[in-house]
Amino acid sequence: MNNFNKVLVVSPHPDDETLGAGGTLLKYKKQGHKIYWLNITDVNEEFGWDEKRIAHRQEQIEAIRGFFGFDGYYNLSLPTTKLATIDEGDIISKIRAVFDDVQPSWVLIPGQYDAHSDHRIVYNCCMAAAKSFRSPYIKRITTMEIVSETDFGFQNERFVPNLFVDITEEMDKKLEAMKIYDTEIEEVPFPRSLENIKAHSLMWGGYCNSRYAEAFCIVKQIE
Amino acid sequence: MNNFNKVLVVSPHPDDETLGAGGTLLKYKKQGHKIYWLNITDVNEEFGWDEKRIAHRQEQIEAIRGFFGFDGYYNLSLPTTKLATIDEGDIISKIRAVFDDVQPSWVLIPGQYDAHSDHRIVYNCCMAAAKSFRSPYIKRITTMEIVSETDFGFQNERFVPNLFVDITEEMDKKLEAMKIYDTEIEEVPFPRSLENIKAHSLMWGGYCNSRYAEAFCIVKQIE
Amino acid sequence: MNNFNKVLVVSPHPDDETLGAGGTLLKYKKQGHKIYWLNITDVNEEFGWDEKRIAHRQEQIEAIRGFFGFDGYYNLSLPTTKLATIDEGDIISKIRAVFDDVQPSWVLIPGQYDAHSDHRIVYNCCMAAAKSFRSPYIKRITTMEIVSETDFGFQNERFVPNLFVDITEEMDKKLEAMKIYDTEIEEVPFPRSLENIKAHSLMWGGYCNSRYAEAFCIVKQIE
Amino acid sequence: MNNFNKVLVVSPHPDDETLGAGGTLLKYKKQGHKIYWLNITDVNEEFGWDEKRIAHRQEQIEAIRGFFGFDGYYNLSLPTTKLATIDEGDIISKIRAVFDDVQPSWVLIPGQYDAHSDHRIVYNCCMAAAKSFRSPYIKRITTMEIVSETDFGFQNERFVPNLFVDITEEMDKKLEAMKIYDTEIEEVPFPRSLENIKAHSLMWGGYCNSRYAEAFCIVKQIE
Amino acid sequence: MNNFNKVLVVSPHPDDETLGAGGTLLKYKKQGHKIYWLNITDVNEEFGWDEKRIAHRQEQIEAIRGFFGFDGYYNLSLPTTKLATIDEGDIISKIRAVFDDVQPSWVLIPGQYDAHSDHRIVYNCCMAAAKSFRSPYIKRITTMEIVSETDFGFQNERFVPNLFVDITEEMDKKLEAMKIYDTEIEEVPFPRSLENIKAHSLMWGGYCNSRYAEAFCIVKQIE
Amino acid sequence: MNNFNKVLVVSPHPDDETLGAGGTLLKYKKQGHKIYWLNITDVNEEFGWDEKRIAHRQEQIEAIRGFFGFDGYYNLSLPTTKLATIDEGDIISKIRAVFDDVQPSWVLIPGQYDAHSDHRIVYNCCMAAAKSFRSPYIKRITTMEIVSETDFGFQNERFVPNLFVDITEEMDKKLEAMKIYDTEIEEVPFPRSLENIKAHSLMWGGYCNSRYAEAFCIVKQIE
């Protein structure tokens, strides 16, 4: 069994945790590790979302929590698409509080080159919060590939994976999880389609000799 | 004739469209394509500009519209140098509305490594607005070289052109257009001088076997 | 119809042309463009290959020529895996002779970050041979993604595509072409498997709003 | 004697000037150059710091001013960790006013890849303020290595030094200066420890054939 | 205990294995893993080395083998500084033969940006030999930091570590191992000095919250 | 007066020294510094050049030596375009012998991303020969911009200057020097044309507030 006994996934918006690391979270849970979910932004009436949509979002979140069997769930409920206008020191403090509470050994975060500014800010804040002298319990930080955001924005920089996790046995279950986000998925050629998610996994499998894989970029690992 | 029948240039501030793509816009217009201009920021009394200067800026804009013969003109009139303090989601929505209205096949935008933060934010917002599954009519996105901003800020990253447009026949007319921005140009060694603009074009010509050329970086092209 | 009326694909070894650009070559041929194939290295008895294998390789090459309907075919027959020990000036001269003979408007080449040193040397030699003041007829140079080599070697640098060609109608035919290289393909998770090639195409389709696409990196384009 | 007769160090927070360039400032001062300090952010009661801590910070700043013998000192007193929420145009104007007042020949600034967003914003604003056509007196701009921030944030980009200053004779005095920041230093393995600062200097010395050195990245130098 | 039960270090020249990974090899050996050494180049009379120096080199190699307790040792004995003139296909075949014999789970190799061309060629050949579909037993490939070569050559690219191994308990023993290479070490400021090696380790420790650490760059890890 | 009292320019082929640093060499000579020229490759009958062309090349070299007033001249006379097939260790030894003889304080070399493989190999060999612990007299190493090679080969990497030398007073004399290489220059749009060389200098001047400038990339500077 792997050494990362507490895995924390950080999603800028609900569904990023499933898109980026759904298979790996299921695999780690099955192997007996504990898994945690920290979500950063949320929707509410104040931002012009109607009641019904907000309620449905909450149902999705609850369903996902149950589906994965998360051992802990946190939601900062910050305003979607508006992170750039918030004091970064405050966001870092809130993330650090969750880090200190969970004491995760592996933290999974969005990438610094994603198209969405919320993703890039969450990357920066997590990196600041995860400095080794502040959070010595963190033994690995990786970015995830989140289809429809990763590699949709920057021109010279690209997601360069260096960690491949075999999710052959979890492939179908990851797709089932994605179906819970019925409002977020569509048919090919939409990137957040079940076919496309599966194609990505098969492609990454070709880099690591397994049928299906998820890919991550290790920013820091300590042994 | 080239396939990009609707060309939209996005300027963070008026004059970027001429500096970055003046020759190319003139060439495309002459070839029968339609050309459009979306300007992002503007000056007004609220930000401490005096009435006379504001009026002169409006005259410049009007003169440029006529000179190029733009088939459409949009101005978001957001506050100059203050884009970083505005909700990025709002800027993206406004840009998308223009994209949907024009349905451009080629979009020209400022670069992500320009010295001015307004330029970088416009880059990010345009890329987010131009995702293929949102704006399928966009067949090409390129960044432009805007002298006095491009390559004036970042140390390791630089504007790396991969598209060269022969503007030998449009060179003189581009310089005439720049003269309309009488408040923005000065003599050499000031970067926004007619001599320097011409030197850049002659230099790029050396890379593509023409006397004068404009250079762009293709971020995405679809065929 | 696109403006690139003569398309030349350069393969370090036979099968790279199909893996990298099979769908695009078929599409361009169908649209009435002329397509050409320049192969760089070959196998022979001197390098320890048996007669039967050599003969089979020749059959594959002939079958591919017919399948695609190439309007011209060149083979430098340089020794496989040994390009690094050959005078680079000589290789460049031989490539230039082919360029001058075909006068291609679009040249497709392997990538400078591929795992195989033959690929990297072919990249360098083609770039040297294609300088605009030497080969003014070349209006576009792109690198191709060649599964099992591209992104299998370098750690920080990666293939960053900026050109996507919709090959939805050519997908099946590309896979048929690959079947001709019966000695080179295997089952998943081997990267040169039909399933993996298809997954790559579906993934790239997600970036450009088509079902299947091939991806290229434009190094230089002139208009 | 070196040609940079006026050296200005820009610290996002007090202690960055000593960590990044303490030895070099001492060396230049000893050689007869004039040295200046521009500090960007500060703490005050409004941001929740208690009176005693604020007073101690002021004592540290005064002690450092005396220790180095700065020929000029400026403090913008902007709010710590909150630079991202301030109008960038305003910050640039304030920095330019100091540049114009000092007319420095060498400006030392934090790096664009530091973990702290304040550092990155100060980098961007200083680069914008230091454009050659605005501040022709600036003959060199370099970033500094600030332990505990530099290389603690970004994954592909790293501080790449190209200037090494021999500080063998100033090593001990730099450590004495750091001791003034008694609230900021701790024991190894904390990065801001005297042992770690010394180890960095010895390591850089190995790159430039001296016992101890400080490392900088020249962004622009004019001769 | 970590999962990498067979660790293979590849040195272009003897001493690279100790400089790059001495502490980590000692730690893994102590934890019960098996450790292997593949050396690539060697000196002999044919290349102008005198008998005495050759004999001393052999003594050093033997002493190191005993000191670390390597469970296997291989030496390709290719000519030092001349790898660029050898058929790369041959080098790859020889390295693959060792890989297949050892079936290592973790392979440690020199970096692609090292100053010495032998290092860069060994990097390329190991990456080609380690493709997952050829060597599925390899679960991790990392580059090492080899003082006096790493970061002594390339200007924009630099060794970017993402794996830190705590070697606090092995620090003294690593330095003892280096003393065996009496012909290779000198006093500070020479980079291959005991003081400098220790300073590097203390510096990396600051990045991972341990007193001393070795740093590596994970190119690929499979789980 | 600047501190670099001995300046050594390294040209892969004759004319690179003038294209890359002609103005700067003239300026330094005028200021009283000593200037030296190390040329790496040459043409001879063995490589298929006719006697007349070889004689003319020698005349050009002699004329250039006189024009600049070089205080020392070295020519390794290695075969043009064939450096990749020569033992890199030998090239490094020969370059080191010249370094030790001249003991230059500033060394100017071609860039690692130039299109010509000779340029890249000369870069690598000079960097290996210039390690600080071997050649402590070298206080600065810079790459030069050599039009028609620099930025004609690599796609993501580009010449990124960080040193600008005002050559306003030497501009005309640099062009006169280039006229000596009558076989190498042509008219615009050929990159090695007098007009293009002048345009490059005017463009770089815009980055450093002078009319004409040469641009270099400082790889290492020691103070």
Side-chain angles (χ1 to χ4, degrees):
Chain A
M1 194 174 105
N2 206 300
N3 304 304
F4 301 102
N5 58 321
K6 282 181 173 185
V7 179
L8 172 68
V9 65
V10 183
S11 62
H13 320 92
D15 86 350
D16 293 325
E17 78 298 333
T18 301
L19 285 166
T24 299
L25 292 168
L26 290 163
K27 183 177 185 173
Y28 268 69
K29 179 73 184 176
K30 195 171 63 185
Q31 291 179 342
H33 303 267
K34 290 196 178 304
I35 60 175
Y36 301 83
W37 181 14
L38 165 59
N39 184 61
I40 303 295
T41 76
D42 215 342
V43 297
N44 65 35
E45 289 179 66
E46 196 186 325
F47 308 130
W49 290 59
D50 66 49
E51 211 176 302
K52 198 177 147 196
R53 199 163 161 200
I54 294 169
H56 188 53
R57 173 57 51 98
Q58 286 312 313
E59 288 164 15
Q60 290 175 335
I61 290 175
E62 288 311 310
I64 287 290
R65 287 179 61 182
F67 189 91
F68 282 96
F70 280 111
D71 297 284
Y73 165 72
Y74 301 80
N75 196 340
L76 300 192
S77 296
L78 295 170
T80 292
T81 82
K82 290 176 182 57
L83 289 188
T85 61
I86 299 179
D87 176 359
E88 201 164 303
D90 281 354
I91 306 176
I92 294 170
S93 297
K94 282 175 177 149
I95 291 174
R96 283 193 62 190
V98 175
F99 282 3
D100 280 343
D101 198 46
V102 173
Q103 307 234 352
S105 39
W106 181 9
V107 178
L108 299 114
I109 63 178
Q112 67 180 307
Y113 306 123
D114 285 3
H116 202 304
S117 64
D118 283 355
H119 285 227
R120 300 193 298 269
I121 291 166
V122 171
Y123 172 87
N124 287 333
C125 292
C126 285
M127 286 305 294
K131 286 180 174 176
S132 294
F133 53 87
R134 285 180 181 154
S135 315
Y137 40 78
I138 298 178
K139 300 304 183 193
R140 180 150 83 181
I141 312 168
T142 64
T143 59
M144 313 180 277
E145 188 199 33
I146 300 171
V147 295
S148 77
E149 293 298 347
T150 301
D151 292 340
F152 267 84
F154 283 77
Q155 69 195 87
N156 288 326
E157 302 293 354
R158 215 184 141 197
F159 173 68
V160 181
N162 52 25
L163 172 65
F164 300 89
V165 176
D166 182 346
I167 62 158
T168 305
E169 292 184 27
E170 292 78 18
M171 187 73 252
D172 290 343
K173 234 183 145 191
K174 173 175 181 173
L175 299 178
E176 276 180 60
M178 267 316 292
K179 285 183 200 161
I180 293 173
Y181 288 111
D182 56 341
T183 51
E184 306 303 321
I185 55 176
E186 290 182 28
E187 290 301 307
V188 158
F190 191 67
R192 286 197 304 271
S193 63
L194 301 185
E195 262 190 286
N196 188 35
I197 293 166
K198 205 168 176 176
H200 270 263
S201 299
L202 193 134
M203 179 195 69
W204 293 129
Y207 287 91
C208 64
N209 216 44
S210 66
R211 184 157 187 91
Y212 297 110
E214 277 174 346
F216 305 92
C217 179
I218 298 171
V219 183
K220 185 179 274 192
Q221 184 166 316
I222 298 171
E223 291 182 357
Chain B
M1 194 173 106
N2 206 300
N3 304 301
F4 301 102
N5 59 322
K6 283 183 173 183
V7 180
L8 172 68
V9 64
V10 184
S11 62
H13 320 92
D15 86 350
D16 293 326
E17 78 298 333
T18 301
L19 286 166
T24 300
L25 292 168
L26 290 164
K27 182 177 186 174
Y28 268 69
K29 180 71 183 175
K30 195 170 61 185
Q31 291 180 341
H33 304 267
K34 291 198 177 304
I35 59 175
Y36 301 84
W37 180 14
L38 165 58
N39 183 61
I40 303 296
T41 76
D42 216 342
V43 297
N44 65 34
E45 290 180 66
E46 194 186 326
F47 308 130
W49 290 58
D50 66 50
E51 212 175 302
K52 197 178 147 197
R53 198 165 162 197
I54 293 170
H56 187 55
R57 172 58 50 98
Q58 287 312 313
E59 289 164 14
Q60 291 175 335
I61 290 174
E62 288 311 310
I64 286 290
R65 288 179 60 182
F67 189 91
F68 282 96
F70 280 111
D71 298 284
Y73 165 70
Y74 301 80
N75 195 341
L76 301 192
S77 297
L78 294 171
T80 293
T81 82
K82 289 177 181 56
L83 289 189
T85 61
I86 298 178
D87 176 359
E88 202 165 302
D90 280 355
I91 305 175
I92 295 170
S93 298
K94 283 173 175 149
I95 291 174
R96 284 194 60 191
V98 175
F99 283 3
D100 280 343
D101 199 45
V102 173
Q103 308 234 353
S105 39
W106 180 9
V107 179
L108 299 114
I109 61 177
Q112 67 180 306
Y113 306 122
D114 286 3
H116 203 304
S117 64
D118 283 355
H119 285 227
R120 300 193 299 269
I121 291 166
V122 171
Y123 172 86
N124 288 334
C125 292
C126 285
M127 287 305 294
K131 286 180 175 176
S132 294
F133 52 88
R134 285 179 182 154
S135 314
Y137 40 77
I138 298 177
K139 299 303 183 193
R140 179 150 83 181
I141 312 168
T142 65
T143 60
M144 314 179 278
E145 187 199 33
I146 299 171
V147 295
S148 77
E149 294 298 346
T150 301
D151 292 340
F152 267 84
F154 283 78
Q155 69 195 87
N156 289 325
E157 302 293 353
R158 219 185 138 196
F159 173 69
V160 181
N162 52 26
L163 172 66
F164 300 89
V165 176
D166 182 345
I167 61 159
T168 305
E169 292 183 28
E170 292 78 16
M171 187 73 253
D172 290 342
K173 233 183 147 191
K174 173 175 181 172
L175 298 178
E176 276 180 60
M178 266 318 292
K179 284 182 200 161
I180 293 172
Y181 288 111
D182 57 341
T183 50
E184 306 303 320
I185 54 175
E186 292 182 28
E187 291 301 307
V188 157
F190 191 66
R192 286 197 303 271
S193 61
L194 300 185
E195 262 190 285
N196 188 36
I197 292 166
K198 204 167 177 177
H200 271 264
S201 298
L202 193 134
M203 179 195 68
W204 293 128
Y207 288 91
C208 64
N209 216 44
S210 67
R211 182 156 187 91
Y212 297 111
E214 277 174 345
F216 304 92
C217 179
I218 298 170
V219 183
K220 185 179 275 191
Q221 184 166 317
I222 298 170
E223 291 182 357
Chain C
M1 193 173 108
N2 205 301
N3 305 303
F4 302 102
N5 60 321
K6 283 183 173 184
V7 180
L8 172 67
V9 65
V10 183
S11 62
H13 320 92
D15 86 347
D16 292 327
E17 79 296 335
T18 302
L19 284 166
T24 299
L25 292 168
L26 289 163
K27 182 177 185 173
Y28 267 69
K29 180 71 183 175
K30 195 170 60 184
Q31 291 180 340
H33 304 268
K34 290 199 178 301
I35 59 175
Y36 301 84
W37 179 16
L38 164 58
N39 184 59
I40 303 295
T41 76
D42 215 342
V43 298
N44 65 33
E45 289 180 65
E46 195 186 323
F47 307 130
W49 290 59
D50 66 49
E51 210 175 302
K52 198 177 146 197
R53 199 165 160 196
I54 293 168
H56 187 54
R57 173 57 50 100
Q58 287 312 314
E59 289 164 14
Q60 291 175 336
I61 289 174
E62 288 310 312
I64 287 290
R65 286 180 62 182
F67 189 91
F68 282 95
F70 280 111
D71 297 284
Y73 164 72
Y74 302 80
N75 195 342
L76 301 191
S77 297
L78 294 170
T80 293
T81 81
K82 289 177 182 55
L83 289 188
T85 62
I86 298 178
D87 176 359
E88 202 164 301
D90 282 355
I91 306 176
I92 294 170
S93 299
K94 284 174 176 148
I95 291 174
R96 282 194 62 191
V98 176
F99 283 3
D100 279 343
D101 199 46
V102 173
Q103 307 234 354
S105 39
W106 181 9
V107 179
L108 300 114
I109 62 178
Q112 67 179 307
Y113 305 122
D114 285 3
H116 202 304
S117 64
D118 283 355
H119 285 226
R120 299 192 300 267
I121 291 165
V122 171
Y123 172 87
N124 287 333
C125 292
C126 285
M127 286 306 294
K131 285 179 175 176
S132 295
F133 53 87
R134 287 179 180 154
S135 315
Y137 39 78
I138 298 178
K139 299 303 183 194
R140 181 151 82 180
I141 312 168
T142 64
T143 60
M144 313 179 278
E145 187 199 34
I146 300 171
V147 294
S148 76
E149 294 298 347
T150 301
D151 293 340
F152 268 84
F154 283 77
Q155 69 195 89
N156 287 326
E157 302 293 354
R158 221 186 135 196
F159 173 69
V160 181
N162 52 26
L163 172 65
F164 300 89
V165 177
D166 181 345
I167 62 158
T168 304
E169 291 183 28
E170 292 78 18
M171 187 72 252
D172 289 343
K173 233 182 146 192
K174 173 175 181 172
L175 298 178
E176 276 180 60
M178 267 316 293
K179 285 183 200 161
I180 292 172
Y181 288 112
D182 57 340
T183 51
E184 306 303 320
I185 54 175
E186 291 181 30
E187 292 300 308
V188 158
F190 191 66
R192 285 197 304 271
S193 62
L194 301 184
E195 260 190 287
N196 189 36
I197 292 166
K198 205 167 176 175
H200 271 262
S201 299
L202 193 134
M203 180 196 68
W204 293 128
Y207 287 91
C208 64
N209 216 43
S210 67
R211 181 157 188 89
Y212 296 111
E214 277 174 344
F216 304 93
C217 179
I218 297 170
V219 182
K220 185 179 274 192
Q221 185 166 315
I222 298 170
E223 291 183 358
Chain D
M1 193 173 107
N2 204 301
N3 304 304
F4 301 102
N5 59 322
K6 282 182 173 185
V7 180
L8 172 68
V9 65
V10 183
S11 61
H13 320 92
D15 86 348
D16 292 326
E17 79 297 334
T18 301
L19 285 166
T24 299
L25 292 168
L26 289 164
K27 182 176 186 174
Y28 268 68
K29 179 73 183 175
K30 196 171 61 186
Q31 291 179 341
H33 304 267
K34 291 198 178 302
I35 60 175
Y36 300 83
W37 180 15
L38 165 58
N39 184 60
I40 303 296
T41 75
D42 216 341
V43 298
N44 65 33
E45 290 180 65
E46 195 186 323
F47 308 129
W49 290 59
D50 66 51
E51 210 176 302
K52 197 178 148 195
R53 199 163 159 199
I54 293 169
H56 188 54
R57 173 56 51 100
Q58 287 312 314
E59 287 163 15
Q60 290 175 336
I61 290 175
E62 288 311 310
I64 286 291
R65 288 180 61 183
F67 189 91
F68 282 96
F70 280 110
D71 297 284
Y73 165 71
Y74 302 80
N75 196 341
L76 301 191
S77 297
L78 295 170
T80 294
T81 81
K82 288 177 182 57
L83 290 188
T85 61
I86 299 179
D87 176 359
E88 202 165 302
D90 281 354
I91 305 176
I92 294 171
S93 297
K94 283 173 176 150
I95 291 174
R96 283 193 61 190
V98 176
F99 283 3
D100 279 342
D101 198 47
V102 173
Q103 306 234 353
S105 39
W106 180 9
V107 179
L108 299 116
I109 63 178
Q112 67 180 306
Y113 305 122
D114 286 3
H116 202 304
S117 65
D118 283 355
H119 285 227
R120 300 192 300 268
I121 290 166
V122 171
Y123 172 88
N124 287 333
C125 292
C126 285
M127 287 305 294
K131 285 179 176 177
S132 294
F133 53 87
R134 285 178 181 156
S135 315
Y137 40 77
I138 298 178
K139 299 304 182 194
R140 179 151 83 183
I141 312 169
T142 64
T143 60
M144 314 179 278
E145 188 199 33
I146 300 171
V147 294
S148 77
E149 293 299 345
T150 302
D151 292 340
F152 267 85
F154 282 78
Q155 69 195 88
N156 289 326
E157 301 294 354
R158 216 186 140 197
F159 173 69
V160 181
N162 52 26
L163 172 65
F164 300 89
V165 177
D166 182 346
I167 61 159
T168 305
E169 292 183 27
E170 292 77 19
M171 188 73 251
D172 290 343
K173 233 183 146 191
K174 174 175 180 172
L175 298 179
E176 275 180 60
M178 267 316 292
K179 284 183 200 160
I180 292 172
Y181 288 112
D182 56 340
T183 51
E184 306 303 319
I185 56 175
E186 291 183 29
E187 292 300 307
V188 158
F190 191 65
R192 286 198 304 271
S193 62
L194 300 185
E195 261 190 287
N196 188 36
I197 292 166
K198 205 168 176 175
H200 271 263
S201 299
L202 193 135
M203 179 196 68
W204 292 128
Y207 287 91
C208 64
N209 215 44
S210 66
R211 183 156 187 89
Y212 297 111
E214 277 174 345
F216 304 92
C217 179
I218 297 170
V219 183
K220 184 180 274 192
Q221 184 166 317
I222 298 170
E223 292 183 356
Chain E
M1 192 172 109
N2 205 301
N3 304 304
F4 300 102
N5 59 321
K6 283 181 171 185
V7 180
L8 172 68
V9 64
V10 183
S11 62
H13 320 93
D15 86 348
D16 292 327
E17 79 297 335
T18 302
L19 285 167
T24 300
L25 292 169
L26 289 164
K27 183 176 185 173
Y28 269 69
K29 179 72 182 175
K30 195 170 62 184
Q31 291 179 341
H33 303 267
K34 291 198 177 304
I35 61 176
Y36 301 83
W37 181 14
L38 165 59
N39 184 59
I40 302 295
T41 76
D42 216 344
V43 297
N44 67 32
E45 290 179 66
E46 194 187 325
F47 309 128
W49 289 58
D50 66 49
E51 210 176 302
K52 196 176 147 197
R53 200 165 159 199
I54 293 169
H56 187 54
R57 173 57 51 98
Q58 287 312 313
E59 289 163 15
Q60 290 175 336
I61 290 175
E62 288 310 310
I64 287 290
R65 289 180 60 183
F67 189 90
F68 282 96
F70 280 111
D71 298 284
Y73 165 70
Y74 302 79
N75 195 341
L76 301 192
S77 297
L78 294 170
T80 292
T81 80
K82 289 177 182 57
L83 289 189
T85 62
I86 299 178
D87 176 358
E88 202 164 303
D90 281 354
I91 306 176
I92 294 170
S93 298
K94 282 173 177 150
I95 290 173
R96 282 193 62 191
V98 175
F99 282 3
D100 280 342
D101 199 45
V102 173
Q103 308 234 350
S105 39
W106 181 10
V107 179
L108 299 114
I109 63 177
Q112 68 179 307
Y113 305 122
D114 286 3
H116 202 304
S117 65
D118 283 354
H119 284 227
R120 299 192 300 268
I121 291 165
V122 171
Y123 172 86
N124 288 332
C125 292
C126 285
M127 286 306 294
K131 284 180 176 177
S132 295
F133 53 87
R134 286 179 181 155
S135 315
Y137 40 77
I138 298 178
K139 299 304 182 194
R140 180 151 82 182
I141 311 169
T142 65
T143 59
M144 312 179 280
E145 188 199 32
I146 299 172
V147 294
S148 78
E149 293 298 346
T150 301
D151 292 341
F152 267 84
F154 283 77
Q155 69 195 89
N156 288 326
E157 301 294 353
R158 217 185 139 197
F159 173 68
V160 181
N162 52 26
L163 172 65
F164 300 89
V165 177
D166 181 346
I167 61 158
T168 305
E169 291 183 27
E170 292 78 19
M171 188 72 252
D172 290 342
K173 233 181 146 190
K174 174 174 181 173
L175 298 178
E176 276 180 60
M178 267 316 293
K179 285 184 199 160
I180 293 172
Y181 288 111
D182 57 340
T183 51
E184 305 303 321
I185 56 175
E186 290 182 30
E187 291 301 307
V188 159
F190 190 66
R192 284 198 304 272
S193 63
L194 300 185
E195 261 190 287
N196 188 35
I197 293 167
K198 206 167 175 175
H200 270 263
S201 299
L202 192 134
M203 179 196 67
W204 293 129
Y207 286 91
C208 64
N209 216 43
S210 66
R211 182 157 189 90
Y212 297 111
E214 276 174 345
F216 304 92
C217 180
I218 298 170
V219 183
K220 186 180 274 192
Q221 184 166 317
I222 298 171
E223 292 182 358
Chain F
M1 193 174 105
N2 205 300
N3 305 301
F4 301 102
N5 60 320
K6 283 182 172 184
V7 180
L8 172 68
V9 65
V10 183
S11 62
H13 320 93
D15 87 349
D16 293 327
E17 79 297 334
T18 302
L19 285 167
T24 299
L25 292 168
L26 290 164
K27 182 176 186 174
Y28 268 69
K29 180 72 182 175
K30 195 171 61 184
Q31 291 180 339
H33 303 267
K34 292 197 177 303
I35 60 174
Y36 301 84
W37 180 14
L38 164 59
N39 183 60
I40 302 296
T41 76
D42 216 341
V43 297
N44 66 34
E45 289 180 65
E46 194 186 325
F47 308 130
W49 289 59
D50 66 51
E51 211 176 300
K52 198 177 146 196
R53 198 165 161 198
I54 293 169
H56 188 55
R57 173 57 51 98
Q58 287 311 313
E59 289 164 14
Q60 291 174 334
I61 290 175
E62 288 311 310
I64 287 289
R65 287 180 60 183
F67 189 91
F68 282 96
F70 280 111
D71 297 283
Y73 166 70
Y74 301 80
N75 195 340
L76 301 192
S77 296
L78 295 170
T80 292
T81 80
K82 290 178 181 56
L83 289 188
T85 62
I86 299 179
D87 176 358
E88 202 165 303
D90 281 355
I91 306 175
I92 294 171
S93 297
K94 283 173 176 149
I95 291 174
R96 283 194 60 191
V98 176
F99 283 2
D100 280 342
D101 199 45
V102 173
Q103 307 234 352
S105 38
W106 181 10
V107 179
L108 300 114
I109 62 178
Q112 67 179 308
Y113 306 122
D114 285 3
H116 203 303
S117 65
D118 283 355
H119 285 226
R120 299 192 300 268
I121 291 165
V122 171
Y123 172 87
N124 287 334
C125 292
C126 286
M127 287 306 293
K131 284 180 177 177
S132 294
F133 53 87
R134 286 180 181 154
S135 315
Y137 40 77
I138 298 177
K139 299 303 184 196
R140 181 150 84 181
I141 311 167
T142 63
T143 59
M144 312 179 279
E145 187 199 34
I146 300 170
V147 295
S148 77
E149 294 298 348
T150 301
D151 292 341
F152 267 83
F154 283 78
Q155 70 196 87
N156 288 327
E157 302 292 354
R158 216 185 139 196
F159 173 69
V160 181
N162 51 26
L163 172 65
F164 300 88
V165 177
D166 181 345
I167 62 159
T168 305
E169 292 183 26
E170 293 77 18
M171 187 73 252
D172 289 342
K173 233 182 145 191
K174 174 174 180 171
L175 298 179
E176 278 180 58
M178 267 316 293
K179 285 183 199 159
I180 293 172
Y181 288 111
D182 58 341
T183 51
E184 306 303 321
I185 54 175
E186 290 181 31
E187 291 300 309
V188 159
F190 191 66
R192 285 197 304 271
S193 62
L194 301 184
E195 260 189 287
N196 188 35
I197 293 166
K198 205 168 176 175
H200 271 263
S201 299
L202 193 134
M203 179 196 69
W204 292 129
Y207 287 91
C208 64
N209 216 43
S210 67
R211 182 157 187 90
Y212 296 111
E214 277 174 346
F216 303 93
C217 180
I218 298 171
V219 183
K220 185 180 275 192
Q221 185 167 314
I222 298 171
E223 293 182 356

